Amino acid sequence: MTDTMYLGEYNGSAKHVADLPAVLARAREGGLVKMMVTGGNLEESIKAINLAKEHSDLFATVGCHPTRCNEFDEKGEEEYYNSLLKLINDNREHVVAVGEFGLDYDRTKFCSPEVQKKYFVKQLDLCQATQLPLFLHCRAAAADLVEILSDNMDKVKAGGVVHSFDGTAEERDSILKLGFYIGINGCSLKTEENLKVMSEIPVEKLMIETDCPWCDIRPSHAGHKFVKTKFEKYPAVDKKKWKEGVMVKGRNEPHNIRQVLEIIAAVKEENIEELADRIFENTEKVFFPN
């Protein structure tokens, strides 16, 4: 929710007025009571915390996304690390996790695997120093992610989640074996194989998310056929045609988490309300233990 799309800006071009208050109102109307705003680097983490200070139902993560880990070298490794640590320690009531961090081998043009791995390990020190859970990112890098986590489990006392999971059954099982939860969103439900892999995640290790403004569920996705809620009250229009009371086509929102839940419940053949309660309990246990 720190993304400029919610300020009406797309790729540096202003298309409409800021509408984050309306986005949050739709989320609350949809039954969301706590929302995590992920920090993708130091600057975004500050923005996430500022949002959390403005809204009692928003909570922040603090960390550096793997594709942005060059910032450690650009700003100075220790200075950048200490800035993240200070940001967490100065805002403990608003920060619920270290992240989003991990490995992304799909986008190594932004940051090399070597640099990503170095600062993945470095940010595990943040987890040890703060005793916060992990909010992890993994794209085409599960083997290295699991190996690094396995070698550093002494730093991980509060568990965590591998979010936006789209990996194989083997990768799923290796993550579960370490005790981590798996987060599912629209990007996790694109293919029939995705649905099969998701179906075998134990409910007690399952979390759901939107990863908005990304990872919306689209008609071309295998999971789309299970979506029941279409939000006719809020039509989706092109960003250039935005007006009060509409959603932007292709820009995901928190209230769409209902659709993720519907797909999972259908595929796993679970009662949707009972499933929602169990997933909520998982999230509370890891990120809101007190």
Side-chain angles (χ1 to χ4, degrees):
M1 281 178 278
T2 60
D3 196 280
T4 58
M5 289 188 205
Y6 299 117
L7 300 177
E9 186 179 303
Y10 301 77
N11 298 317
S13 175
K15 300 298 182 186
H16 58 80
V17 300
D19 65 341
L20 182 60
V23 170
L24 292 175
R26 286 191 283 271
R28 291 162 185 147
E29 182 185 305
L32 278 77
V33 294
K34 292 178 181 176
M35 291 171 269
M36 287 169 58
V37 185
T38 52
N41 62 0
L42 180 59
E43 180 185 2
E44 266 186 20
S45 297
I46 293 168
K47 290 179 181 177
I49 288 170
N50 287 339
L51 278 175
K53 288 177 177 177
E54 293 170 18
H55 303 275
S56 62
D57 53 355
L58 300 188
F59 300 86
T61 75
V62 171
C64 187
H65 191 280
T67 60
R68 298 176 177 178
C69 279
N70 287 325
E71 292 185 18
F72 275 94
D73 291 331
E74 291 163 2
K75 305 271 183 9
E77 177 180 338
E78 291 307 315
E79 181 181 344
Y80 198 80
Y81 172 87
N82 288 330
S83 295
L84 292 171
L85 180 59
K86 185 175 189 301
L87 188 61
I88 294 171
N89 286 334
D90 287 351
N91 297 280
R92 291 303 295 243
E93 70 272 33
H94 301 295
V95 180
V96 295
V98 173
E100 153 184 12
F101 74 123
L103 299 172
D104 189 324
Y105 292 175
D106 274 346
R107 290 177 283 181
T108 54
K109 65 180 180 181
F110 297 114
C111 187
S112 72
E114 291 71 27
V115 171
Q116 289 187 35
K117 285 188 281 189
K118 178 180 179 181
Y119 294 117
F120 177 26
V121 174
K122 184 71 175 176
Q123 289 182 87
L124 289 172
D125 291 343
L126 277 179
C127 301
Q128 185 174 37
T130 62
Q131 298 292 291
L132 284 173
L134 288 62
F135 192 87
L136 292 164
H137 175 99
C138 182
R139 281 284 179 269
D144 282 354
L145 184 97
V146 167
E147 181 180 356
I148 290 170
L149 287 172
S150 298
D151 291 343
N152 290 273
M153 287 302 288
D154 59 310
K155 300 176 182 177
V156 182
K157 301 302 183 188
V161 63
V162 177
H163 98 112
S164 193
F165 181 76
D166 67 349
T168 66
E170 292 75 22
E171 291 166 348
R172 173 201 66 206
D173 293 345
S174 64
I175 290 164
L176 292 171
K177 191 175 180 181
L178 288 177
F180 288 98
Y181 290 74
I182 292 180
I184 298 295
N185 60 32
C187 289
S188 313
L189 306 166
K190 290 182 177 180
T191 68
E192 293 297 338
E193 180 62 22
N194 288 156
L195 298 182
K196 185 175 187 305
V197 171
M198 177 278 294
S199 72
E200 295 171 3
I201 300 171
V203 174
E204 62 269 19
K205 283 296 181 182
L206 183 62
M207 292 188 189
I208 59 174
E209 57 175 281
T210 59
D211 201 27
C212 61
W214 318 107
C215 293
D216 55 325
I217 296 164
R218 302 183 178 184
S220 59
H221 294 176
H224 185 269
K225 58 182 172 286
F226 299 111
V227 171
K228 295 179 180 177
T229 305
K230 302 295 173 69
F231 303 109
E232 284 90 352
K233 182 179 175 182
Y234 302 109
V237 302
D238 184 270
K239 54 187 172 287
K240 296 174 186 174
K241 298 179 180 178
W242 181 92
K243 60 182 179 180
E244 204 79 40
V246 303
M247 297 190 297
V248 176
K249 194 176 291 184
R251 185 191 69 174
N252 205 0
E253 292 193 12
H255 76 165
N256 288 330
I257 200 166
R258 175 82 192 186
Q259 297 179 332
V260 177
L261 178 65
E262 288 172 350
I263 296 170
I264 295 172
V267 173
K268 291 179 81 67
E269 299 181 340
E270 296 267 359
N271 175 280
I272 193 165
E273 298 305 330
E274 291 176 5
L275 180 63
D277 287 343
R278 292 171 72 187
I279 292 171
F280 184 76
E281 287 171 10
N282 294 343
T283 310
E284 287 273 289
K285 182 179 177 182
V286 176
F287 296 114
F288 305 97
N290 301 316

